[in-house]
Amino acid sequence: MKKITLLLCAFCALPALAQEHFSGLTTSKRVGILNGNMNPSEFANLGSRFEVQIFGLSANASSNKVGFGDLVGGDNLEDLIFAGNEPVNFTTNAEIAFPGFAFKALGWGFGISAGGHITANVIDVDSNLGRALVNNDFNATTAAAIIDNSGNQRVNATVWGEIGFSAARKIFENDKHRINGGITLKLLFPGSLCQHGCG
């Protein structure tokens, strides 16, 4: 019974792990600044004395109307997203890793990193409203009919930046085990917040 429960818990956790940014790093043995951003105690395990990060980007996007083939196909995305009469749902989430620096000294690991985050959601937006706004074909006679629908139309976006200062140290180590401790202090910089709903 314990094995079945463990197996079910593992399968339930897979979708959550799949949405994590830079997810390939969680299975890598190499330790770098991105690993330290996820777990600050990893700065104590740096493989070299210095580590420099130039740039990194991870993005997730999902839509009920546009697929991966449409993105690489060169078609006009605005036309594809607002095609038909079905409400539009679109979500995008991106994390940008800006230049960072990490080093080891006196048994400690230190890191300085910067990053940006972008999240945007379009939820249950009427396709007619989207086409009217994109094509600048929005007039007072059709506005009331397009906006006043039974759905709960929402558009929101959030952008913020952060600078992190990290420190880590090995607490205990023997032939088989190692325990590290680390901390990161982050300064957050709000970029913008846009939210609109109608319905």
Side-chain angles (χ1 to χ4, degrees), residues 12-27:
C12 290
L14 284 177
L17 183 62
Q19 304 308 313
E20 183 179 336
H21 287 289
F22 304 109
S23 59
L25 293 176
T26 58
T27 58

Side-chain angles (χ1 to χ4, degrees), residues 118-121 155-159 192-195:
I118 303 167
T119 302
N121 299 295
V155 176
N156 58 51
T158 306
V159 178
S192 65
L193 172 66
C194 169
Q195 186 167 358

Side-chain angles (χ1 to χ4, degrees), residues 73-140:
D75 296 326
N76 187 347
L77 290 180
E78 292 173 347
D79 292 340
L80 291 173
I81 289 173
F82 297 115
N85 292 319
E86 182 183 357
V88 176
N89 291 302
F90 184 81
T91 299
T92 185
N93 187 329
E95 184 174 326
I96 304 165
F98 294 120
F101 180 73
F103 64 96
K104 286 171 39 174
L106 304 172
W108 288 82
F110 298 97
I112 300 171
S113 61
H117 301 267
I118 303 167
T119 302
N121 299 295
V122 174
I123 304 164
D124 292 333
V125 172
D126 189 307
S127 295
N128 298 314
L129 174 62
R131 279 194 301 272
L133 292 173
V134 168
N135 298 327
N136 285 333
D137 190 22
F138 199 73
N139 55 48

Side-chain angles (χ1 to χ4, degrees), residues 1-11:
M1 182 65 181
K2 290 181 181 180
K3 290 182 181 180
I4 293 172
T5 305
L6 179 63
L7 187 63
L8 288 174
C9 289
F11 281 124

